Amino acid sequence: MCGGVCGCRQNWEIPGPATRALVATSIGHVLPSVSRIAKAMGLTVYSSPQLLDILDDRGGRRLDRLFQILARELTAAETEALRVVTDPPGEGAALTARLLTAPTLAVELARRGVTVEVGVLAEAEFWSVYQPIVSLADRSVAAHEALLRGVVDGREVGGGDLFFVAEQAGWLHRLDRIGRESAITGAVPWLGDDDLFVNFNPTSIYRPQVCLASTERVVHETGIEPAQLVFEVVESHAIADRGHLVSILDHYRTLGWRVALDDVGAGWSSLSLLAAVRPDVVKLDKRLVQELPDDGARTVLKAVTDLAHQLGAVVVAEGVETERLADEVTALGADLGQGWLFGRPVRPQPPVEEPEGRWQPVTPARALTT
């Protein structure tokens, strides 16, 4: 079901019951509040400047309860300001390493399922569905966009919920990798010569040569042509750190992969980002497309389309759900279209190959002579 990249429990560091927690912060007023709550629950608390050492002699039940109370009593900003190490190792390098990589209390709460339903990830099996992208000139299928899905207890979970939980729990980089590799492995049996659009979040990639190594290996092992791959990033993600994004996209291009900028809409940021990134594909903002024939939306989309073409990019109009919208975006100069008019996201079935020797021509029986 998972296309060889199942995101089952081994992908997530699910915290178990803990009997000791180190809580640290430089925010002066937070630790006294945590200490007061912990002592009221009967927990043993040792205090030092900017650090609490909290012990639970009942097997971790009261410490679990403390986490639940802190989730209610502290503000979101305060949970982001606290660092937590549960069941720390002894003194020395191991303890130092744990302290340096300690998650925030917000992440610890998320991983324990206190603030988000972490079981959505921990128990999920993943696969990709694919939505066709067609030529507006003749409606022939030119490409497919991969979208991640999960199943938990027989219930399908959409990509938005999956990535929300992953980001809250500090696992975005892992789920993003699963999504990239699932998209590729799931498409190989039926893709043919079409292009494949794969989403990614640049904040999940710290150093492209390292973080994309497994994706590069999957591409090589599956035999898909590098030129068929188009990696797309949402404009709102791209703006956060433009320099980092450009370094990632440059690495993609050295591997022969193409890049797309998704949800490109109104404003100076969109136009300046196009010039800086110079994507191979520009995908028009679905919300603006669906506002057509509004004059303001038409003006913006025309400006983006013209600049994209000047930069040598192919333009895809997303959110095309009616023939009227298809006519509108064609008139604006868009090259490709994507939306429910052309097909919804589905999980294609690989072509069935007939076993060799299964069919034999019928030879007429020789007539009997009397």
Side-chain angles (χ1 to χ4, degrees), residues 35-157:
S35 177
R36 183 177 64 254
I37 295 171
K39 288 178 179 178
M41 295 175 61
L43 292 161
T44 302
V45 180
Y46 298 98
S47 301
S48 61
Q50 301 184 346
L51 179 69
L52 295 178
D53 190 348
I54 304 173
L55 304 177
D56 182 358
D57 59 5
R58 295 189 182 178
R61 288 176 295 177
R62 284 186 295 185
L63 198 54
D64 281 345
R65 180 62 180 157
L66 173 64
F67 286 133
Q68 294 172 8
I69 293 174
L70 293 179
R72 296 196 307 267
E73 297 295 326
L74 300 182
T75 67
E78 288 170 337
T79 61
E80 291 287 353
L82 285 169
R83 296 280 175 175
V84 179
V85 175
T86 56
D87 286 338
E91 302 294 329
L95 177 60
T96 301
R98 283 288 301 278
L99 291 172
L100 289 174
T101 59
T104 66
L105 177 60
V107 168
E108 184 72 16
L109 294 174
R111 290 181 178 177
R112 291 179 177 273
V114 175
T115 56
V116 294
E117 186 48 66
V118 74
V120 168
L121 289 178
E123 304 297 335
E125 295 181 351
F126 302 110
W127 75 90
S128 293
V129 294
Y130 302 85
Q131 186 172 30
I133 300 172
V134 307
S135 167
L136 290 170
D138 59 12
R139 304 294 176 91
S140 62
V141 175
H144 307 264
E145 179 181 353
L147 303 165
L148 190 64
R149 296 289 186 267
V151 161
V152 181
D153 294 330
R155 175 176 60 91
E156 183 171 321
V157 181

